């Protein structure tokens, strides 16, 4: 097997360039039934799947998210725009975080910002977070180019017939280690987030206490 290194790198960079989040303005402002929600998510995020048969979201997934308190219950079997925003967050988080960690992150948001008319609400938080996407993608491209070049410097003394596959293995390993370290960091940050939100809750006045 012969791998064209330039084609491989260009393919990776092109796939990164195609990654785009769902803009809040593209989410329907009307409440949707579950079938409509899964269809919308499937259509907008299908390009992020590994295989054509992979599902973005199923009815079972939505029900499980609700059971695990990741998603507020629908109103008369319909899901609002805010529900879909939460489902998008869950979709991105579930590949790297446990259900408990996702719950830690989203519970404070749903408690304070779900379906509120304040200036800071779930939609404004979503837009603020994803506004960083394009800059981050460009940084990722630069980082991947550097890691790819580094991997091509490994196994220079290996037999020619083995060098290609070993260098590809090096590239995969470098990316994997980067992901491993970032996951550890994210988990530590989630723990800090949990501590911060727990402290904030404990400092709130008890509504049931007597004055």
């Amino acid at each position: 097997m012969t791998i064209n290194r330039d084609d491989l790198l260009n393919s990776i960079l092109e796939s990164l360039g195609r990654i785009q989040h769902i803009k809040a303005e593209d989410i329907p402002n009307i409440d949707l039934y579950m079938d409509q929600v899964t269809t919308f998510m499937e259509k907008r995020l299908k390009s992020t799947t590994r295989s054509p048969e992979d599902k973005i979201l199923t009815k079972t997934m939505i029900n499980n998210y609700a059971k695990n308190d990741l998603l507020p219950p629908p109103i008369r079997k319909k899901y609002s725009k805010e529900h879909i925003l939460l489902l998008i967050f869950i979709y991105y988080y579930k590949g790297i975080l446990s259900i408990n960690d996702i719950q830690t992150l989203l519970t404070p948001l749903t408690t304070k910002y779900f379906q509120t008319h304040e200036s800071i609400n779930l939609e404004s938080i979503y837009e603020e977070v994803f506004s960083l996407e394009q800059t981050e993608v460009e940084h990722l491209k630069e980082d991947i180019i550097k890691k790819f070049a580094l991997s091509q410097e490994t196994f220079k003394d290996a037999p020619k017939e083995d060098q290609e596959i070993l260098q590809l293995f090096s590239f995969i390993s470098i990316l994997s280690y980067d992901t491993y370290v970032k996951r550890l960091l994210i988990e530590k940050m989630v723990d800090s987030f949990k501590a911060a939100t727990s402290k904030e809750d404990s400092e709130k006045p008890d509504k049931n206490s007597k004055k």
Side-chain angles (χ1 to χ4, degrees):
M1 179 182 70
T2 300
I3 300 172
N4 186 304
R5 298 175 186 181
D6 290 338
D7 285 350
L8 175 62
L9 181 59
N10 288 334
S11 175
I12 294 170
L13 296 178
E14 286 174 5
S15 65
L16 274 177
R18 289 195 297 270
I19 295 175
Q20 292 185 343
H21 73 278
I22 300 175
K23 296 179 180 178
E25 63 193 49
D26 294 334
I27 300 173
N29 283 315
I30 58 172
D31 295 346
L32 304 175
Y33 287 108
M34 187 181 286
D35 284 341
Q36 294 172 308
V37 172
T38 56
T39 298
F40 174 81
M41 294 285 283
E42 190 76 19
K43 180 180 178 181
R44 301 309 298 261
L45 292 172
K46 189 63 178 177
S47 62
T48 65
T49 59
R50 183 176 185 178
S51 304
E53 61 271 17
D54 291 342
K55 292 292 184 181
I56 297 295
L57 189 66
T58 64
K59 295 179 181 179
T60 301
M61 290 179 188
I62 294 177
N63 287 330
N64 285 338
Y65 297 154
K67 287 178 183 177
N68 285 282
D69 297 324
L70 300 182
L71 197 69
I75 306 299
R76 293 187 292 276
K77 296 185 179 181
K78 285 189 174 184
Y79 297 84
S80 66
K81 185 174 186 175
E82 287 83 359
H83 281 105
I84 296 177
L85 293 172
L86 287 171
L87 285 169
I88 295 170
F89 275 123
I90 293 169
Y91 176 73
Y92 286 117
Y93 285 142
K94 70 178 183 177
I96 54 174
L97 293 175
S98 67
I99 291 294
N100 286 340
D101 282 344
I102 299 174
Q103 186 183 49
T104 295
L105 288 175
L106 294 185
T107 296
L109 269 65
T110 54
T111 300
K112 191 171 183 178
Y113 303 111
F114 186 78
Q115 292 185 339
T116 178
H117 297 292
E118 301 297 326
S119 58
I120 298 181
N121 52 42
L122 201 57
E123 183 171 342
S124 67
I125 292 170
Y126 178 89
E127 290 179 333
E128 185 81 14
V129 169
F130 281 98
S131 68
L132 306 172
E133 177 199 25
Q134 191 56 47
T135 300
E136 184 59 24
V137 167
E138 293 306 316
H139 290 162
L140 282 171
K141 287 182 180 180
E142 293 172 5
D143 185 57
I144 286 173
I145 291 171
K146 289 178 182 178
K147 284 183 169 60
F148 186 79
L150 182 63
S151 71
Q152 299 307 297
E153 296 301 316
T154 62
F155 298 105
K156 286 294 185 71
D157 296 330
K160 196 69 177 176
E161 64 272 18
D162 298 334
Q163 191 178 92
E164 184 179 86
I165 193 70
L166 288 171
Q167 289 177 342
L168 181 59
F169 180 75
S170 289
F171 184 47
I172 294 170
S173 296
I174 294 170
L175 292 175
S176 297
Y177 183 70
D178 182 78
T179 303
Y180 166 74
V181 171
K182 286 179 179 176
R183 178 171 180 168
L184 291 179
L185 175 60
I186 291 169
E187 288 173 347
K188 287 185 179 298
M189 295 304 298
V190 170
D191 291 340
S192 297
F193 184 86
K194 182 177 183 179
T197 53
S198 297
K199 181 180 178 182
E200 183 180 280
D201 288 340
S202 67
E203 291 176 347
K204 289 179 180 178
D206 187 352
K207 293 181 180 179
N208 297 319
S209 63
K210 295 182 179 178
K211 292 183 179 180

